[in-house]
Amino acid sequence: MILSLDVPLIVEIGRRHMAFEDVLALQPGAILELDKNAEARLEVLVNNKVIGQGEAVKVGENFGIRVTEIDSPEQVLQAAVDG
């Protein structure tokens, strides 16, 4: 039953802190520099908990992620139910 649950899966490419007034001033076309190098590994999260890492790939016209490391099934399950 639990294996059929939908959980949020997030691939995080980086973070940045900004003043709220700067966020409100964002316009289409704005470019935000993030805290990671373009070649750095990306984190894979379930319910905002890191469960693995990977690298960005291009899949046709879309982005994807090639998983390079993943936690044990038990750790992934724990992340899913803790959310």
Side-chain angles (χ1 to χ4, degrees):
M1 180 97 150
I2 196 164
L3 296 178
S4 63
L5 292 176
D6 284 338
V7 294
L9 180 80
I10 300 166
V11 176
E12 184 172 293
I13 61 171
R15 294 178 181 226
R16 178 183 177 130
H17 285 88
M18 296 175 65
F20 190 61
E21 69 178 316
D22 294 334
V23 173
L24 291 175
L26 287 173
Q27 298 289 321
I31 296 175
L32 302 174
E33 186 175 348
L34 301 174
D35 63 351
K36 281 192 179 179
N37 180 293
E39 302 300 318
R41 286 189 170 174
L42 306 177
E43 292 182 333
V44 179
L45 300 95
V46 167
N47 285 335
N48 292 317
K49 294 185 177 24
V50 177
I51 60 145
Q53 294 187 350
E55 52 196 30
V57 294
K58 187 174 179 187
V59 182
E61 293 300 314
N62 296 323
F63 284 109
I65 184 167
R66 176 179 294 117
V67 176
T68 58
E69 293 180 30
I70 195 76
D71 288 346
S72 70
E74 293 81 14
Q75 291 169 307
V76 174
L77 177 61
Q78 190 63 49
V81 297
D82 283 349

